[in-house]
Amino acid sequence: MAGVTKPKVGRVAPPDLVEWARSGRIRIPRFQRSYRWDATDSERLFDSILRGYPIGNLLMWRKPAPAADITLGELRFDAPERSDALWVVDGQQRLTTLIGALTATEDTVDRRFRIFYDLREKDARRRFLSAPQSQKVRDHWLPVWVAGDNRSLLAWQRERPWLTGEEFDLCDSVATAIRTYEIPMYEIEGDDEQALREIFDRMNTFGKTLKKAEIFQALHSTPLDVQPSDLDALRERVAALDFGDFSPQLLMQSVMATRGGKVDRDFRQEFKNDEDRQQAFARTEKALRLVIDWLRGEAGIPHLRLLPYALYVPVLSRFAALFGRPAGRGSELLRRWVWRGAAVGAAPQGNTVALRRNASAVHDDPVDSATRMLGLLPIGGELWTPDLTQTALNRTQAKLNVLGLLSVHPVLLAPATDSDGNHYPSGTRLDESRLLADMLDSGRSPLQSLVSGPSMAGKALHPANKAGPGLFYDWPDPAALRSHCMDDRCLELLHLLDSEGTDAFLARRGKIMTAVISDHAQRMALFGFSDGPEAEALFDTNVWGDTTDAA
């Protein structure tokens, strides 16, 4: 073995990392774990850079790398063969965030890379913010990708002659901090695994640290194994969006849907040549990013396991490939299509027939396409009510139940830790942590039993905790109880351990839960309303009024 040379210690500025990335020098081994930071992590990273706080070290392994198709954030390009490539052993999350944000554009979809500095926010701790593509960007929000490039910043400032002197100074401060911040970097050569492990263990890390198994994979990832098949590569890139694991079949259907024609035709005979295939996969990846962003932001569906029907993905991918991210009237109608289909059954004649018909309905115009898709759904949704006996997430009605419970933002009733080692105190909203995604990614149910019985009314949307009904005993706070579809009377009944108290608890909580789930589904689907504009304004916002007198 050649061993490991003494690490070369240096410092690197964010613009240098961007230049190295574009030249193909930076390579990220194929870890099991993909990019896992959330938008808050990205905001904190740039805030630390502005303040001059340490953000940890980079540990890079210098060794050759072949020509490859590289993806860093939403930056994707063909990299040439390099004899001096730097493989990232520690620092993947920070490095991906920096490169992704500094190479972002207005068309970037992933909000973790859409980072801005609010020139008018008075609270300095809140000046860096992320924004989804659907959110209107305020004119006084300075994009970090603009601040990182002097020419772009000058053009941005010229377009805003109304900027005050203080705001000009803030622009310069942000730009200077990003361009001159020095990140400690350890560059090592050699193949002594034990020495590499020891170097890693002795380094302080920032953010979500790697697990031992992932370090092992990083050190054993051969540089020649960086170009997986197209479907595998697409699967990895989509997995990095933290929406769940897409099956090869679903990805194939999405590729075919974006290309038009029969969605279920022979995938193996589809492409003319390698260039045609690469363009198809790149187009599908872009469409899927838009679809996931829309499902989260507009349809209120945070994870693939909670998506009522898988066929929604390829159909929406075709829509996004033709028209871009759903917006305006088209977006509103699509949301109704998703939720009405979930309630009444989006595939009454089978998934294959429904997929083909709905994909074929998407053409010419976004609003007309969404209208045609709505017309394919069965009628009768006005009579839909939740089935609280459905608790297994392989059933569409159970998914609607969980989505309804999420709509009231349940909070943690006991401290919890996610798979990355992040700790969340009691009172943290479940939808503002990685805990829900962790449970769904692992295949576990996010529902924990409070009392015995098959009804959703006897379960809580909460990470695993051995306390059972005791979870609620120390939480008389009305807001916390309401976030779990409970009131004071529910809590009183929960304290009664006899069968009569249990039955009364299930009945009362079931009534509250039914109202919450029904109201949420109605808001999203708007059953019984004309598909004209502004129908939402006619819907009553009170979901608790008729439950407070329940027995």
Side-chain angles (χ1 to χ4, degrees):
M1 282 192 180
V4 173
T5 62
K6 182 178 180 180
K8 176 183 176 182
V9 184
R11 293 180 176 274
V12 58
D16 295 327
L17 291 174
V18 172
E19 181 181 347
W20 290 352
R22 291 189 183 277
S23 68
R25 191 180 183 201
I26 291 179
R27 303 295 177 96
I28 297 180
R30 294 179 58 197
F31 299 161
Q32 284 187 350
R33 186 181 78 184
S34 55
Y35 181 56
R36 297 293 294 273
W37 272 19
D38 57 32
T40 302
D41 293 318
S42 300
E43 295 166 6
R44 289 179 61 245
L45 178 69
F46 280 96
D47 182 70
S48 295
I49 288 175
L50 178 61
R51 296 170 183 269
Y53 293 172
I55 63 171
N57 308 308
L58 298 176
L59 177 59
M60 315 291 274
W61 190 10
R62 180 172 175 170
K63 59 179 182 176
D69 179 16
I70 300 295
T71 299
L72 283 168
E74 291 194 15
L75 181 66
R76 182 175 178 179
F77 57 95
D78 292 325
E81 181 179 358
R82 299 284 307 226
S83 61
D84 61 344
L86 297 174
W87 293 79
V88 184
V89 177
D90 186 33
Q92 175 197 1
Q93 306 295 317
R94 283 161 286 152
L95 190 146
T96 302
T97 301
L98 284 169
I99 294 173
L102 292 176
T103 59
T105 68
E106 293 180 359
D107 295 328
T108 295
V109 176
D110 196 326
R111 70 176 297 171
R112 295 173 294 184
F113 307 131
R114 292 175 55 84
I115 307 299
F116 302 85
Y117 184 81
D118 189 342
L119 297 173
R120 295 184 177 174
E121 172 61 57
K122 299 305 180 184
D123 186 346
R125 296 169 298 179
R126 300 172 57 187
R127 281 182 170 167
F128 279 102
L129 57 98
S130 61
Q133 194 182 53
S134 58
Q135 182 176 351
K136 180 176 175 58
V137 174
R138 305 292 295 274
D139 220 23
H140 56 274
W141 291 358
L142 173 64
V144 298
W145 61 88
V146 169
D149 179 78
N150 186 57
R151 192 172 292 180
S152 298
L153 178 60
L154 291 175
W156 189 86
Q157 290 174 325
R158 281 196 298 270
E159 294 171 358
R160 292 160 177 79
W162 41 262
L163 289 172
T164 66
E166 180 183 1
E167 290 166 348
F168 266 104
D169 290 342
L170 286 173
C171 290
D172 291 341
S173 296
V174 173
T176 300
I178 291 175
R179 295 175 202 163
T180 63
Y181 186 89
E182 294 184 330
I183 307 169
M185 187 181 79
Y186 292 78
E187 182 182 327
I188 55 179
E189 291 186 81
D191 55 8
D192 186 337
E193 177 193 325
Q194 186 57 42
L196 287 168
R197 285 179 178 270
E198 188 170 351
I199 291 171
F200 178 90
D201 287 339
R202 294 187 182 191
M203 290 180 63
N204 294 319
T205 56
F206 172 88
K208 296 177 173 65
T209 58
L210 295 172
K211 299 180 178 66
K212 293 287 186 181
E214 293 167 334
I215 302 167
F216 179 83
Q217 289 192 7
L219 301 179
H220 283 273
S221 178
T222 166
L224 297 177
D225 185 25
V226 296
Q227 297 189 66
S229 69
D230 285 324
L231 278 178
D232 286 342
L234 181 60
R235 192 173 186 177
E236 288 184 7
R237 288 166 183 143
V238 175
L241 301 177
D242 219 15
F243 192 73
D245 186 20
F246 285 69
S247 69
Q249 180 183 9
L250 193 58
L251 294 174
M252 282 192 291
Q253 291 172 340
S254 298
V255 172
M256 304 303 268
T258 61
R259 289 171 67 83
K262 293 178 61 177
V263 180
D264 54 339
R265 60 191 184 275
D266 189 352
F267 185 80
R268 294 167 298 178
Q269 305 297 323
E270 175 66 18
F271 306 105
K272 300 175 183 177
N273 49 46
D274 286 344
E275 182 180 1
D276 183 32
R277 184 176 64 254
Q278 291 170 3
Q279 290 177 350
F281 275 78
R283 188 182 187 207
T284 303
E285 180 186 347
K286 180 179 180 180
L288 286 170
R289 287 178 178 274
L290 295 171
V291 168
I292 290 171
D293 185 59
W294 181 84
L295 284 171
R296 279 181 172 140
E298 308 302 325
I301 299 173
H303 195 277
L304 187 63
R305 277 190 71 200
L306 297 179
L307 186 68
Y309 286 96
L311 68 88
Y312 289 160
V313 171
V315 175
L316 290 170
S317 295
R318 174 163 176 76
F319 191 101
L322 287 177
F323 309 121
R325 188 187 189 278
R329 172 78 169 150
S331 175
E332 163 62 24
L333 295 179
L334 282 183
R335 191 196 72 205
R336 300 181 193 185
W337 171 73
V338 166
W339 278 84
R340 291 181 189 178
V344 302
Q349 296 177 316
N351 287 332
T352 300
V353 174
L355 175 57
R356 188 185 304 140
R357 288 184 173 180
N358 280 277
S360 298
V362 181
H363 58 83
D364 297 334
D365 178 82
V367 174
D368 290 344
S369 296
T371 301
R372 286 189 290 267
M373 291 159 63
L374 279 168
L376 294 173
L377 295 175
I379 61 174
E382 295 87 350
L383 303 177
W384 180 85
T385 57
D387 181 356
L388 297 187
T389 66
Q390 298 297 322
T391 61
L393 288 188
N394 60 347
R395 305 296 295 272
T396 297
Q397 296 304 307
K399 297 178 183 183
L400 291 180
N401 289 339
V402 171
L403 291 170
L405 300 187
L406 283 171
S407 72
V408 288
H409 310 297
V411 301
L412 295 181
L413 302 172
T417 303
D418 67 22
S419 60
D420 290 317
N422 298 300
H423 301 283
Y424 301 95
S426 302
T428 301
R429 278 174 42 175
L430 186 61
D431 57 351
E432 291 184 345
S433 73
R434 275 202 46 80
L435 295 164
L436 178 65
D438 278 350
M439 291 185 284
L440 295 172
D441 285 340
S442 68
R444 302 194 310 271
S445 172
L447 298 168
Q448 307 303 321
S449 293
L450 297 176
V451 299
S452 60
S455 173
M456 185 75 72
K459 301 182 183 298
L461 195 57
H462 199 276
N465 190 291
K466 297 179 180 179
L471 277 172
F472 288 91
Y473 292 166
D474 297 326
W475 281 87
D477 175 48
L481 293 176
R482 287 165 65 91
S483 80
H484 287 277
C485 298
M486 291 178 61
D487 59 9
D488 291 338
R489 180 56 180 158
C490 284
L491 187 59
E492 293 174 4
L493 293 169
L494 194 61
H495 278 278
L496 301 176
L497 300 180
D498 57 29
S499 59
E500 182 179 351
T502 298
D503 290 343
F505 167 77
L506 290 173
R508 185 176 185 86
R509 188 166 184 246
K511 188 172 184 178
I512 295 174
M513 196 173 278
T514 296
V516 167
I517 297 171
S518 298
D519 177 81
H520 180 62
Q522 174 65 13
R523 287 179 181 284
M524 305 305 278
L526 289 179
F527 285 118
F529 285 74
S530 168
D531 287 335
E534 306 302 330
E536 300 90 333
L538 304 176
F539 193 69
D540 184 10
T541 60
N542 179 24
V543 301
W544 291 83
D546 61 350
T547 63
T548 55
D549 295 330

